[in-house]
């Protein structure tokens, strides 16, 4: 009789454990990083009863965490790639909006400036028209200056974002190292996996992948090593290595980079993926390229206009001087040096006089002169006007922004698909858990009947004595 009672008791205990596991799954349906668990039931070793083996009930072999490491790795990879494209896209859109705004557009500034030059050509003795040229020249220079300042502010913002990201990464890797230690202690000598601790660690690794692309290497003792860049280890067993922000004076302008470990080795260009990878990519592809293109355009405007202006003569018959500062030929510091409207050299050297507008016409022609900007000296050379060159700058940024948007959408779709596949294995399905709840409830009720029957039989035997 005791064997029936033991069998019934084992069934009760096992069903209760299965009910607890199912209830835990349901209660954690909205817990971030939780992977559903399943009770693995095994039979008790049967007993040999002379001529046959008699079953001895059931027990819980383990409570298994349903987890696919391959899909988890894919989720982290796509998370990192999507975060990189999202960060790049967000920043690139800002530059695209700056270049295309009517308030800062160099193209509009060129139209206004050369339009004013044309008015001087129409009325070379008009001081009012000449003053407009000075004003529009200063406004054009100011557009260059402001665009450069805005790019510089974006660059400084990235410095700030990198500082925040590095601090967050250090906190996450510290948490991973501590969880490695806790998992190592929890497994102990019995080797049982501490499911909740594993979930917490995997969740931190997923969060880490939003900042930078990571590579994981599981160890036999249950710990996980975390690597970034070209194999720089952020977590090795229970030890953690910090990242830091460092001054990178090799760039112009100087900016912050990322240092690794106590030696603060510069690993900025070795990092990819995540928001950090997107910021670094944005600096290299958009900030540096756009600033260089604007500097080149500013230099072209200054050189071509000054050259033509010095060929002419002003309202008082004096040889024309530099209109723009020849020593300030970057977008950041281009400026007008002429302050007297009479000093604008509208006259040519032929028949010098107040009514001569030949040099003003030549200056106005610079707006469409395709020899003003030479790209990649040949052969063959590519020549563009100022406006055409600015259009190329705008187009390049717009194209990169559009490419980033398409890439971000693609990565987002891949991430969603992979996450759905991962969740189909590890995520909590309430319908499935509700069905399991009923199944284990019925099993518990049936097991309780075994105990009741055992008790009834035992009482019958006692009454027969």
């Amino acid at each position: 009789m005791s064997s029936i009672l033991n069998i019934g008791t084992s069934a009760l205990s096992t069903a209760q454990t299965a009910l607890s596991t199912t209830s835990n799954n349901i209660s954690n349906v909205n817990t971030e990083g939780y992977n559903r668990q399943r009770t693995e039931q095994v039979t008790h070793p049967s007993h040999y009863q002379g001529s046959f083996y008699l079953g001895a009930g059931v027990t819980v072999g383990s409570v298994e965490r349903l987890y696919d490491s391959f899909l988890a790795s894919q989720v982290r990879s796509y998370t990192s790639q999507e975060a990189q494209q999202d960060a790049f896209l967000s920043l690139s859109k800002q530059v695209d909006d700056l270049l295309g705004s009517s308030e800062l557009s160099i193209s509009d500034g060129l139209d206004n400036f050369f339009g004013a030059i044309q008015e001087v050509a129409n009325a070379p003795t008009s001081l009012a028209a000449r003053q407009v040229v000075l004003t529009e020249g200063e406004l054009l220079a100011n557009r260059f200056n402001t665009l450069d300042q805005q790019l510089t502010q974006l660059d400084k913002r990235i410095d700030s974002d990198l500082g925040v990201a590095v601090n967050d990464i250090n906190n996450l890797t510290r948490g991973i190292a501590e969880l490695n230690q806790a998992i190592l202690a929890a497994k102990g000598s019995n080797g049982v996996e501490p499911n909740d601790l594993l979930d917490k660690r995997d969740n931190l690794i997923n969060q880490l992948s939003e900042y930078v692309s990571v590579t994981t290497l599981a160890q036999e003792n249950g710990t996980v090593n975390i690597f970034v860049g070209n194999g720089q280890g952020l977590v090795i067993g229970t030890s953690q290595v910090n990242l830091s922000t460092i001054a990178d004076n090799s760039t112009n302008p100087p900016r912050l980079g990322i240092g690794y470990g106590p030696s603060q080795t510069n690993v900025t260009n070795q990092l990819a993926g995540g928001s950090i990878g997107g910021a670094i990519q944005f600096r290299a592809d958009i900030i540096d390229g756009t600033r260089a293109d604007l500097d080149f355009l500013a230099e072209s405007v200054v050189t071509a206009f000054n050259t033509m202006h010095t060929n002419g003569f002003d309202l008082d018959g004096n040889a024309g001087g530099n209109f723009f500062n020849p020593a300030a030929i970057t977008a950041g510091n281009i400026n007008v040096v002429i302050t007297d409207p009479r000093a604008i050299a509208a006259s040519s050297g032929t028949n010098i006089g107040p009514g001569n507008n030949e040099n003003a016409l030549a200056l106005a022609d610079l707006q469409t002169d395709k020899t003003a900007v030479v790209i990649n000296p040949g052969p063959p050379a590519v020549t563009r006007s100022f406006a055409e060159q600015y259009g190329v700058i705008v187009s390049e940024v717009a194209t990169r922004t559009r490419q980033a948007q398409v890439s971000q959408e693609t990565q987002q779709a891949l991430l969603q698909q992979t996450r759905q596949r991962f969740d189909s294995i590890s995520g909590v399905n309430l319908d499935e858990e509700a069905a399991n709840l009923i199944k284990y409830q019925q099993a518990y009720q049936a097991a309780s009947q075994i105990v009741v029957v055992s008790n009834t039989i035992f009482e019958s035997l006692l009454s027969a004595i």
Side-chain angles (χ1 to χ4, degrees):
M1 296 302 100
S2 63
S3 63
I4 298 177
L5 181 61
N6 288 338
I7 289 172
T9 302
S10 69
L12 277 173
S13 177
T14 301
Q16 184 178 25
T17 301
L19 282 169
S20 297
T21 302
T22 302
S23 300
N24 188 54
N25 287 339
I26 294 173
S27 65
N28 284 283
V29 64
N30 294 317
T31 300
E32 183 181 3
Y34 178 80
N35 296 286
R36 70 187 179 103
Q37 300 174 12
R38 179 175 61 194
T39 302
E40 295 292 334
Q41 301 182 13
V42 296
T43 59
H44 269 308
S46 55
H47 300 291
Y48 186 64
Q49 299 290 327
S51 60
F52 58 87
Y53 283 94
L54 181 65
V58 67
T59 188
V60 176
S62 65
V63 177
E64 178 186 0
R65 184 177 74 131
L66 299 181
Y67 184 80
D68 189 312
S69 58
F70 174 74
L71 289 178
S73 177
Q74 281 195 317
V75 168
R76 285 195 294 268
S77 177
Y78 289 134
T79 296
S80 183
Q81 293 173 33
E82 193 275 337
Q84 174 173 346
Q85 294 302 324
D86 185 65
F88 181 89
L89 176 61
S90 176
L91 292 167
S92 182
K93 278 183 176 179
Q94 296 181 55
V95 177
D96 190 30
D97 291 342
L98 283 174
L99 295 176
S101 68
S102 59
E103 293 82 6
L104 296 179
S105 172
I106 300 299
S107 182
D108 291 348
L110 289 168
D111 286 342
N112 296 337
F113 177 59
F114 283 105
I117 294 292
Q118 185 63 53
E119 290 301 318
V120 171
N122 295 335
T125 59
S126 171
L127 290 179
R130 288 168 172 264
Q131 184 60 53
V132 171
V133 170
L134 295 183
T135 301
E136 292 298 338
E138 291 170 353
L139 291 174
L140 174 62
N142 184 257
R143 288 176 185 250
F144 275 108
N145 300 159
T146 303
L147 281 176
D148 187 80
Q149 290 169 6
Q150 292 294 320
L151 292 175
T152 300
Q153 289 180 9
L154 274 175
D155 211 356
K156 291 181 178 179
R157 173 186 161 186
I158 291 174
D159 282 347
S160 177
D161 290 346
L162 287 180
V164 173
V166 164
N167 185 62
D168 290 343
I169 287 174
N170 290 337
N171 289 333
L172 289 170
T173 53
R174 188 177 302 112
I176 294 170
E178 291 173 352
L179 283 168
N180 273 346
Q181 177 65 55
I183 291 169
L184 193 61
K187 288 186 68 173
S189 59
N190 57 25
V192 177
E193 298 285 351
N195 294 330
D196 291 341
L197 293 179
L198 295 176
D199 286 347
K200 290 180 180 179
R201 185 179 65 185
D202 287 330
N203 188 38
L204 292 185
I205 297 174
N206 288 341
Q207 292 180 41
L208 182 62
S209 68
E210 296 178 7
Y211 291 97
V212 66
S213 180
V214 299
T215 302
T216 62
L217 183 62
Q219 304 298 299
E220 292 183 0
N221 61 3
T223 61
V224 170
N225 295 340
I226 308 294
F227 302 94
V228 295
N230 293 339
Q232 287 79 19
L234 295 185
V235 178
I236 304 296
T238 60
S239 301
Q240 175 235 2
V241 178
N242 277 330
L243 295 179
S244 58
T245 53
I246 58 175
D248 187 354
N249 296 320
S250 64
T251 61
N252 185 24
R255 51 178 54 139
L256 291 183
I258 298 177
Y260 170 76
S263 63
Q264 295 188 327
T265 304
N266 193 335
V267 295
T268 308
N269 295 328
Q270 299 175 27
L271 300 179
S275 58
I276 285 182
I280 294 172
Q281 180 189 8
F282 171 73
R283 272 181 168 174
D285 294 354
I286 302 297
I287 289 287
D288 292 346
T290 302
R291 178 178 280 126
D293 288 341
L294 287 174
D295 287 346
F296 178 75
L297 179 58
E299 180 182 3
S300 299
V301 170
V302 169
T303 301
F305 200 87
N306 281 350
T307 299
M308 186 65 67
H309 193 264
T310 55
N311 288 335
F313 292 84
D314 64 18
L315 198 57
D316 297 322
N318 300 316
N322 288 314
F323 186 90
F324 294 101
N325 187 346
I329 50 177
T330 66
N333 55 19
I334 179 176
N335 64 91
V336 176
V337 292
I338 288 181
T339 57
D340 183 0
R342 300 182 64 86
I344 295 176
S347 173
S348 68
T350 304
N351 298 322
I352 300 173
N356 188 321
N357 68 349
E358 292 179 356
N359 202 53
L361 290 172
L363 288 170
D365 288 341
L366 289 176
Q367 182 177 13
T368 56
D369 186 358
K370 291 185 180 297
T371 63
V373 176
V374 181
I375 307 299
N376 298 326
V382 177
T383 58
R384 299 181 184 131
S385 68
F386 300 134
E388 288 173 341
Q389 176 59 15
Y390 184 72
V392 170
I393 297 173
V394 175
S395 177
E396 286 178 349
V397 173
T399 299
R400 291 304 305 270
T401 302
R402 177 55 183 163
Q403 290 174 342
Q405 183 176 8
V406 172
S407 181
Q408 190 269 340
E409 292 172 351
T410 301
Q411 294 298 331
Q412 189 176 56
L414 289 172
L415 174 60
Q416 290 175 346
Q417 292 173 5
T418 306
R419 185 169 286 157
Q420 288 174 355
R421 291 168 57 198
F422 179 81
D423 288 343
S424 68
I425 297 174
S426 300
V428 176
N429 185 314
L430 288 178
D431 292 336
E432 181 179 346
E433 298 302 329
N436 286 338
L437 202 61
I438 295 173
K439 179 177 70 173
Y440 295 130
Q441 179 187 12
Q442 292 174 343
Y444 187 89
Q445 292 171 342
S448 66
Q449 290 301 311
I450 297 176
V451 176
V452 171
V453 169
S454 174
N455 185 57
T456 301
I457 294 173
F458 185 68
E459 289 179 353
S460 298
L461 285 175
L462 288 177
S463 63
I465 298 176

